[in-house]
């Protein structure tokens, strides 16, 4: 007995050092480098839109000197790409379900490449419009596919960070466009603007090459019945093998594949190419789908209706109205806008998964409102003054910079993150394409009416109007938008559907998680006592 006691005591001592999973604090998973690289490459397609927006803001100064056009024609050529991109975004949902997310990215780059070359060789207004049309189709494809691919590839722990990449690259593209304006502005008039537009074809080539290193979306693979390929991608892009298994099970359930089916290739009913999806989205939506659709389309509308494209596209015009009359000085000030947007969007990417979507979105819109009001005040004072007011010019420049900074830290990236993560799998491609369609329609209307608007109600009045729209946006987001941070893509069904009462639903979900956690702790205690 005496000899046995030390052994028992030794066993007890050994067991006391064994970790108890229920009590060990969960370790924060390391950033998945493979998912990071894939999201980075896919999001490069967004450079196409950003470059076009940035480069047209300065190129139009020289285009108007080389090709005669009215103010209305100037508005149209500036904003029409957004309307043309509707066709691309509308077709992208079906195309991405048909040929896959990966090859849709290649398709987007090829179309934009053609459009950029056409714009670079344009000899007339009509020729330039043809180039804008082709480039717009490519932009529509790129805008829709990058967020969808990233959301479907990313693990839940870093989905916000990775899904913000498209907005990062839009901003980087805008900055490249501004730099291109300044770099080629000293060239002969007929050559400078053509190089500004034509050189936009170069990123398309890099995008096509980058796709060779990317896997296909695991959700698309499951929809094709390729479970083996999907499992391999999920194993690489998940934070753990357990998470990979859970993600695969969730995707199989959403795709109506029985849980026991684990073959590499399985048969899937061919209903995931758009059949019935539009009916479920528009004609007979459930309360959950209606709430999701309202949020996705609403956030895209308000992102553009609050005037971001007017500020970015017409920055040189705004600075001239504020008193900076030299073209080169206006382009330099515009480059400051590009740098500010890019810096703050990089800050936002690291905050999305730490602070959450709602706090960033609401604080972003609040800052935009203050900036728009300040810009409206500054421009109104300058317009009604008969002499130069340095302080008013400084106010206009600082409020333009603060506006794009606040936009980039919340409203810009969260629009793409939020709308791409809330749709269920069966509706995701078409639902996201509807959000992008609203984004492009609103952007087209705003950018094609800015000059007419400020001539009708004054340039200060235009920004007061945008500020009023931003106030409505803040109230809309506050009342209807639940927090989605940390939720798996397949959990969204329980979070949406109660509209203005979503907070009570969120509390129920949290209570359920607490109870499950307590149950695990009790099981851990029971196991320890038995030992």
């Amino acid at each position: 007995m005496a000899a046995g006691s030390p052994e028992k005591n030794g066993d007890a001592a050994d067991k006391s050092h064994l970790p108890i999973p229920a009590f060990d604090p969960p370790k924060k998973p390391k950033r998945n480098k493979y998912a990071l690289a894939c999201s980075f490459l896919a999001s490069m397609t967004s450079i196409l839109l950003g470059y076009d927006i940035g480069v047209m803001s300065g190129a139009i100064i020289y285009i108007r000197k080389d090709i005669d056009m009215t103010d209305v024609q100037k508005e149209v050529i500036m904003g029409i790409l957004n309307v043309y991109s509707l066709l691309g975004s509308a077709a992208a949902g079906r195309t991405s379900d048909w040929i896959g997310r990966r090859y849709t990215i290649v398709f987007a780059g090829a179309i934009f490449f053609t459009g950029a070359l056409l714009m670079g060789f344009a000899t007339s207004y009509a020729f330039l419009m043809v180039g804008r049309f082709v480039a717009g189709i490519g932009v529509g494809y790129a805008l829709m596919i990058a967020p969808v691919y990233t959301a479907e590839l990313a693990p839940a722990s870093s989905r916000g960070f990775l899904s913000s990449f498209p907005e990062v690259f839009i901003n980087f593209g805008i900055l490249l466009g501004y730099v291109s304006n300044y770099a080629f502005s000293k060239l002969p008039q007929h050559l400078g603007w053509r190089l500004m537009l034509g050189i936009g074809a170069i990123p398309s080539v890099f995008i096509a090459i980058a796709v060779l290193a990317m896997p296909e979306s695991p959700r698309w693979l499951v929809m094709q019945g390729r479970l083996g390929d999907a499992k391999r991608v999920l194993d690489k892009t998940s934070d753990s093998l357990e998470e990979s298994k859970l993600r695969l099970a969730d995707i199989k359930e959403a795709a109506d594949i029985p849980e026991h089916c684990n073959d590499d290739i399985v048969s899937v009913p061919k209903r995931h190419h758009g059949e019935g999806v539009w009916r479920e989205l528009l004609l007979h939506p459930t309360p959950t789908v209606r709430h999701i659709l309202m949020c996705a389309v609403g956030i895209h509308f308000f992102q553009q209706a609050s005037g971001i494209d007017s500020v970015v596209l017409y920055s040189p015009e705004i600075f001239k109205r504020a008193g900076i009359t030299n073209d080169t000085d206006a382009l330099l000030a515009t480059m400051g806008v590009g740098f500010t947007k890019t810096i703050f969007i990089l800050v936002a990417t690291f905050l999305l998964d730490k602070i959450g979507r709602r706090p960033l979105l609401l604080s972003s819109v609040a800052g935009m409102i203050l900036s728009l009001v300040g810009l409206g005040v500054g421009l109104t004072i300058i317009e009604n003054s008969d002499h130069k007011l340095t302080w008013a010019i400084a106010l206009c420049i600082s409020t333009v910079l603060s506006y794009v900074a606040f936009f980039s830290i919340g409203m810009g990236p969260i629009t793409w993150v939020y709308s791409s993560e809330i749709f269920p799998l069966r509706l995701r491609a078409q639902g996201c394409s509807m959000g992008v369609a609203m984004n492009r329609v609103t952007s087209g209307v705003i950018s094609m009416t800015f000059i007419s608007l400020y001539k009708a109600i004054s340039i200060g009045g235009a920004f007061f109007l945008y500020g009023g729209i931003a106030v409505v946006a803040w109230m809309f987001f506050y009342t209807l938008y639940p927090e989605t941070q940390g939720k798996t893509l397949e959990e969204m069904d329980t979070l949406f559907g109660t509209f203005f009462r979503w907070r009570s639903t969120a509390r129920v979900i949290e209570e359920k998680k607490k109870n499950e956690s307590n149950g695990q702790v009790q099981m851990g205690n029971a196991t320890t006592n038995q030992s």
Side-chain angles (χ1 to χ4, degrees):
M1 291 290 293
S5 289
E7 288 181 358
K8 286 183 180 178
N9 291 337
D11 288 345
D14 289 341
K15 286 177 181 177
S16 68
H17 291 293
L18 292 174
I20 301 172
F23 291 104
D24 282 351
K27 293 181 181 178
K28 186 177 179 181
K30 293 180 180 179
R31 193 84 70 186
N32 188 299
K33 292 179 182 178
Y34 187 73
L36 177 76
C38 294
S39 301
F40 185 91
L41 294 174
S43 301
M44 283 176 63
T45 56
S46 302
I47 286 180
L48 306 179
L49 172 63
Y51 184 84
D52 187 87
I53 292 172
V55 81
M56 278 304 292
S57 68
I60 194 66
I61 297 171
Y62 306 99
I63 294 172
R64 287 198 73 174
K65 294 175 182 177
D66 200 34
I67 298 175
D68 289 333
M69 65 178 75
T70 64
D71 280 342
V72 172
Q73 286 178 317
K74 175 185 173 181
E75 286 179 319
V76 171
I77 205 71
M78 294 282 275
I80 196 67
L81 181 134
N82 296 310
V83 178
Y84 291 152
S85 68
L86 275 175
L87 299 175
S89 63
R94 184 68 179 265
T95 305
S96 67
D97 279 350
W98 178 37
I99 64 173
R101 304 347 185 190
R102 192 167 167 248
Y103 289 111
T104 302
I105 293 171
V106 178
F107 194 46
I111 297 172
F112 189 85
F113 179 88
T114 306
L117 290 182
L118 288 172
M119 289 189 291
F121 287 106
T123 54
S124 65
Y125 186 82
F127 196 158
L128 193 56
M129 283 290 282
V130 172
R132 301 292 282 163
F133 173 77
V134 177
I137 301 292
V139 163
Y141 268 91
L143 273 178
M144 180 268 168
I145 196 58
V148 169
Y149 178 88
T150 304
E152 292 183 347
L153 197 78
S157 64
S158 57
R159 193 174 62 240
F161 174 72
L162 299 181
S163 296
S164 65
F165 279 12
E167 183 68 14
V168 172
F169 279 102
I170 288 175
N171 282 271
F172 185 62
I174 289 171
L175 178 57
L176 287 179
Y178 288 157
V179 171
S180 177
N181 288 152
Y182 187 73
F184 296 118
S185 62
K186 304 298 181 184
L187 292 177
Q189 183 176 286
H190 68 284
L191 181 62
W193 68 265
R194 288 185 169 85
L195 280 174
M196 292 176 192
L197 297 178
I199 207 168
I202 293 176
S204 306
V205 178
F206 288 106
I207 290 165
I209 295 170
V211 167
L212 299 175
M214 292 160 49
E216 185 48 85
S217 156
R219 284 176 171 78
W220 185 82
L221 291 171
V222 170
M223 283 158 50
Q224 306 305 306
R226 295 164 57 183
L227 296 187
D229 291 336
K231 183 181 181 302
R232 282 186 283 275
V233 175
L234 286 170
D235 286 347
K236 287 183 177 180
T237 59
S238 298
D239 292 328
S240 65
L241 288 177
E242 289 75 15
E243 185 192 4
S244 173
K245 290 175 183 176
L246 288 171
R247 289 175 70 188
L248 181 60
D250 286 340
I251 298 169
K252 283 165 64 178
E253 183 182 354
D256 291 333
I257 296 174
E259 188 179 349
H260 64 270
C261 285
N262 292 309
D263 296 336
D264 280 359
I265 304 291
V266 300
S267 177
V268 179
K270 296 294 181 183
R271 65 178 188 82
H272 290 292
H273 294 290
E275 293 85 349
V277 169
W278 294 112
R279 191 182 303 113
E280 188 173 352
L281 276 171
L282 299 175
L283 299 180
H284 305 292
T286 63
T288 297
V289 171
R290 194 179 296 119
H291 188 184
I292 288 171
L293 193 61
M294 186 184 298
C295 289
V297 172
I299 198 168
H300 276 284
F301 169 77
F302 283 115
Q303 186 200 52
Q304 296 299 327
S306 52
I308 186 61
D309 273 7
S310 290
V311 172
V312 173
L313 267 175
Y314 295 95
S315 285
E317 183 91 12
I318 294 167
F319 289 134
K320 282 186 177 181
R321 291 277 169 175
I324 304 173
T325 54
N326 182 277
D327 285 346
T328 304
D329 291 342
L331 289 178
L332 274 173
T334 301
M335 280 178 63
V337 173
F339 277 112
T340 303
K341 274 181 68 63
T342 304
I343 289 167
F344 279 89
I345 190 65
L346 290 173
V347 172
T349 59
F350 293 98
L351 297 178
L352 277 167
D353 288 317
K354 293 180 181 178
I355 296 177
R357 283 49 156 169
R358 267 181 65 84
L360 274 181
L361 182 62
L362 294 174
S363 57
S364 166
V365 177
M368 288 165 59
I369 293 166
L370 294 175
S371 300
L372 287 166
V373 171
L375 181 57
V377 168
L379 289 169
T380 300
I381 291 171
I382 290 170
E383 196 172 33
N384 292 284
S385 176
D386 55 1
H387 60 281
K388 191 171 183 178
L389 297 171
T390 306
W391 69 267
I393 295 172
L395 175 64
C396 290
I397 294 172
S398 61
T399 49
V400 166
L401 295 178
S402 67
Y403 172 76
V404 298
F406 278 115
F407 177 89
S408 292
I409 211 164
M411 180 69 118
I414 290 173
T415 296
W416 304 102
V417 173
Y418 204 91
S419 61
S420 64
E421 70 183 357
I422 60 178
F423 281 104
L425 171 63
R426 66 188 181 280
L427 308 176
R428 184 165 300 127
Q430 285 81 1
C432 286
S433 70
M434 286 181 66
V436 173
M438 174 57 74
N439 189 289
R440 295 299 87 202
V441 167
T442 312
S443 176
V445 170
I446 294 295
S447 55
M448 287 195 293
T449 58
F450 179 68
I451 295 175
S452 301
L453 179 66
Y454 81 63
K455 285 187 174 180
I457 64 173
S458 81
I459 192 162
F463 288 105
F464 286 133
L465 177 62
Y466 295 147
I469 293 171
V471 170
V472 177
W474 192 93
M475 294 188 290
F476 184 70
F477 298 149
Y478 182 79
T479 53
L480 274 174
Y481 283 59
E483 179 59 71
T484 57
Q485 180 190 14
K487 304 291 188 300
T488 64
L489 292 172
E490 279 70 34
E491 276 179 352
M492 299 298 176
D493 275 353
T494 56
L495 195 58
F496 287 85
T498 51
F499 298 92
F500 299 102
R501 299 189 303 276
W502 64 266
R503 288 173 179 81
S504 60
T505 307
R507 281 194 293 270
V508 170
I509 293 172
E510 287 303 316
E511 284 294 325
K512 186 179 177 183
K513 283 185 178 179
K514 261 185 202 175
N515 292 337
E516 288 175 354
S517 177
N518 290 337
Q520 288 177 355
V521 171
Q522 288 171 4
M523 285 177 64
N525 286 335
T527 305
T528 305
N529 291 334
Q530 287 172 6
S531 301

